[in-house]
Amino acid sequence: RIAAGATDLVVDGSGRILLLGWASSGDGREVPAVVRLRTNGSIDADWGNQGLARSDSATLRRPIGFPPVVGALLPDGRLLVAA
């Protein structure tokens, strides 16, 4: 689940929606995260961990407030995420 809502949205070449934002890391930190939705808007549970991919960096933490997590689709189909 993305906390405080998505801060960016990217649509891939197949029409799937990638929502970017902050999510709980499970240890009390908020980390950049991506949720992938199918073209019909349902969560793509076959992707990531039940549709959610989170940064696993131990040093990356959400600053005060919720600055945007943004993404760009690269020509080879990979997603570049910046926080």
Side-chain angles (χ1 to χ4, degrees):
R1 173 173 174 253
I2 295 208
T7 59
D8 198 8
L9 176 146
V10 175
V11 179
D12 73 11
S14 297
R16 294 173 295 223
I17 301 164
L18 300 155
L19 299 174
L20 296 89
W22 296 94
S24 173
S25 65
D27 64 0
R29 295 178 301 122
E30 297 287 333
V31 295
V34 180
V35 172
R36 189 166 90 174
L37 306 177
R38 295 185 177 103
T39 56
N40 67 4
S42 65
I43 293 177
D44 185 352
D46 296 328
W47 183 81
N49 182 5
Q50 297 296 307
L52 174 69
R54 293 182 289 224
S55 167
D56 61 0
S57 171
T59 60
L60 188 60
R61 295 173 187 260
R62 177 185 59 81
I64 294 173
F66 279 94
V69 176
V70 296
L73 203 57
L74 300 175
D76 63 4
R78 292 181 299 154
L79 179 67
L80 174 65
V81 176

